[in-house]
Amino acid sequence: MIEVEGITRKYGELVAVDDVSFSIGKGEVVGLLGHNGAGKTTIMRMLTGYIEPTAGSVVIDGMPLSEARLSIQRKLGYLSENAPLYPDMSVVRYLEYVADLRGVPRAGRPAVLKRALERTWLTDRALDPVATLSKGYKQRLGVAQAIVHEPEILILDEPTNGLDPTQIFQMRSLVSDLSQKATIIVSTHVLQEVEAVCERVIIMVQGRIAVDARLSELQQSNRLVVGLGNPSDDAPERLREIPGVGLVTAADGPRGTSYGLELEAPAETVAPGVARAAVEGGWELYRMSEEARTLETVFREVGAKEGRREGSGREG
């Protein structure tokens, strides 16, 4: 659906995006993450045709963006970080204006507008001037204009910005609903949102891709946490002798000692050896579980890794 090959974007001497390549299949929901200045927004603007790459190519639905910009843009819905709203229009008039720009047939327009208003919980505010809306309602309207023509590809930059907890939950539901028919790219600073709605994550660092993987893969851990009561002094050494166990670290816990086992083999093949060692050692085994990894953990690891590279004098 989306093929990006070696795109670079420069602003004078500043390289905002540096030789980035990735592909996104039809129906995928991908989270685009990174600190401010990492290049996320620049990538989204290049994908939507708002700016051109300095080098590289973008192909969407088999069409080069450089040659079929208008045809591709008809397939796209885009929520920019600050959606361009017209304060003197009413909510429904603004959506009607966008629908007209998007080429929605006049005969079917009332039904399309009604559906967009309902999906973004704006029906009760349809006749209100945009200028009177709160930040949260304006954000909903920004999403409504992005989906009013029911695009095949939806690109959302900070879709939950300004929303309260209830509205955030509603937005998650909407993204899940939209993903049944659309390919979606979501950029956000709220990592929990990515975990809730995305299948895959691309993490940008200083204009380059640092991570591109499915969320389920990133959340897999290579550590086993083992809680032991009354362990012997040689417990770390005996745990380290178990096939598939590498480094062993220990920390005091409320019921004994907690050991972190770095695994060199799948956890299910190591666990029986841990249980056997506990029985043979006469230890109380009160806990054994794979360490949970969140997206926040992965994000911190990527940041720490890049920080070490900078400290070693390598450009990032």
Side-chain angles (χ1 to χ4, degrees):
M1 192 68 177
I2 300 174
E3 298 287 340
V4 175
E5 184 65 37
I7 58 172
T8 296
R9 177 66 191 190
K10 296 181 180 180
Y11 296 96
E13 296 298 318
L14 173 65
V15 181
V17 174
D18 187 7
D19 193 24
V20 166
S21 301
F22 60 83
S23 62
I24 297 176
K26 186 174 182 178
E28 277 197 275
V29 182
V30 179
L32 185 60
L33 302 176
H35 294 295
N36 291 334
K40 308 184 304 298
T41 297
T42 301
I43 285 178
M44 288 186 287
R45 288 175 178 170
M46 286 191 283
L47 292 180
T48 54
Y50 280 82
I51 61 175
E52 295 183 356
T54 306
S57 64
V58 176
V59 176
I60 295 179
D61 201 19
M63 298 180 289
L65 183 57
S66 59
E67 300 174 11
R69 186 184 310 274
L70 290 179
S71 296
I72 290 172
Q73 287 178 333
R74 292 189 185 101
K75 299 174 178 286
L76 296 174
Y78 179 39
L79 171 67
S80 60
E81 191 172 4
N82 297 298
L85 307 177
Y86 293 92
D88 55 328
M89 290 183 175
S90 68
V91 169
V92 70
R93 178 68 187 90
Y94 171 71
L95 287 180
E96 185 177 21
Y97 169 69
V98 173
D100 187 38
L101 291 177
R102 288 294 192 174
V104 176
R106 188 175 295 275
R109 206 170 292 172
V112 168
L113 295 176
K114 181 175 183 290
R115 180 166 170 77
L117 289 167
E118 289 175 345
R119 294 176 100 178
T120 52
W121 313 279
L122 284 169
T123 303
D124 293 341
R125 308 299 296 270
L127 301 179
D128 292 359
V130 172
T132 66
L133 300 180
S134 67
K135 184 177 181 180
Y137 275 102
K138 287 180 179 177
Q139 189 71 358
R140 295 194 209 183
L141 183 55
V143 174
Q145 65 80 29
I147 67 173
V148 69
H149 57 303
E150 301 193 353
E152 297 176 37
I153 301 170
L154 189 57
I155 299 177
L156 304 174
D157 194 353
E158 299 290 347
T160 58
N161 186 29
L163 302 185
D164 63 32
T166 298
Q167 294 167 342
I168 289 173
F169 178 78
Q170 291 171 333
M171 191 61 68
R172 289 180 186 174
S173 299
L174 175 59
V175 171
S176 296
D177 179 51
L178 292 169
S179 69
Q180 303 304 309
K181 295 183 178 181
T183 301
I184 303 177
I185 300 175
V186 179
S187 177
T188 178
H189 288 91
V190 183
L191 300 183
Q192 293 89 338
E193 298 307 310
V194 175
E195 291 178 317
V197 302
C198 295
E199 307 159 348
R200 175 179 157 202
V201 174
I202 296 175
I203 300 178
M204 299 289 300
V205 176
Q206 296 183 357
R208 300 176 183 174
I209 292 180
V211 172
D212 182 356
R214 299 193 67 80
L215 191 58
S216 58
E217 296 171 359
L218 291 175
Q219 292 174 330
Q220 291 178 353
S221 174
N222 67 337
R223 279 172 56 88
L224 192 66
V225 179
V226 177
L228 298 176
N230 71 311
S232 57
D233 292 339
D234 64 345
E237 288 75 19
R238 295 178 68 173
L239 290 172
R240 202 158 25 239
E241 292 172 355
I242 298 171
V245 175
L247 180 68
V248 175
T249 57
D252 291 335
R255 294 179 56 187
T257 303
S258 181
Y259 294 91
L261 280 57
E262 298 286 346
L263 301 183
E264 298 170 350
E268 58 267 24
T269 66
V270 175
V274 173
R276 189 161 45 250
V279 172
E280 293 173 354
W283 312 325
E284 297 175 357
L285 177 61
Y286 64 85
R287 178 190 179 192
M288 182 163 54
S289 61
E290 290 186 76
E291 184 180 61
R293 292 181 83 226
T294 65
L295 188 53
E296 182 178 355
T297 302
V298 175
F299 200 72
R300 284 201 309 266
E301 289 173 355
V302 170
K305 182 178 180 181
E306 292 302 319
R308 288 194 296 269
R309 287 181 178 176
E310 287 186 4
S312 66
R314 177 178 175 179
E315 291 185 5

